[in-house]
Amino acid sequence: MTEVKLWHIEIVIDEHSERTRAKARLTTPEETRVGVGLARLSPDDTNVPEIGDELAVSRALADLAHQLLEKSASDIEGITHLPAHLRR
């Protein structure tokens, strides 16, 4: 039988002046993690809020992905007792 798991991601975006911040909150049955991404409007750029949102969210998701990758590597190392650079 196939096991189905459900993880939830909630993304909250807030804007302050020329800065946009996104928080991507991942909730699993075991834990909650938060990735954060920032975007800043350059004084020379046209203000297009959607671009700031997209950039901040992509950075928050990248931060979250990096956290998950590091956790996976740590979990594997804990099981194999070998650091990542020694595994094949």
Side-chain angles (χ1 to χ4, degrees):
M1 182 176 193
T2 303
E3 181 180 357
V4 176
K5 298 179 182 181
L6 185 59
W7 291 10
H8 295 275
I9 295 180
E10 176 184 58
I11 299 174
V12 177
I13 303 167
D14 59 85
E15 298 175 1
H16 303 281
S17 300
E18 279 83 44
R19 194 191 85 211
T20 303
R21 178 179 59 188
K23 290 184 180 180
R25 180 180 310 276
L26 171 66
T27 304
T28 73
E30 292 81 29
E31 67 178 339
T32 297
R33 291 183 171 268
V34 178
V36 177
L38 300 173
R40 180 182 57 84
L41 178 65
S42 172
D44 299 330
D45 291 343
T46 302
N47 188 5
V48 182
E50 294 82 13
I51 294 173
D53 293 352
E54 294 165 352
L55 187 55
V57 169
S58 68
R59 288 175 174 167
L61 291 171
D63 180 33
L64 192 55
H66 183 72
Q67 290 179 42
L68 290 172
L69 186 60
E70 283 191 353
K71 183 176 184 324
S72 297
S74 176
D75 289 348
I76 291 169
E77 187 174 321
I79 291 170
T80 64
H81 307 291
L82 289 173
H85 70 280
L86 295 179
R87 289 191 305 270
R88 287 187 176 211

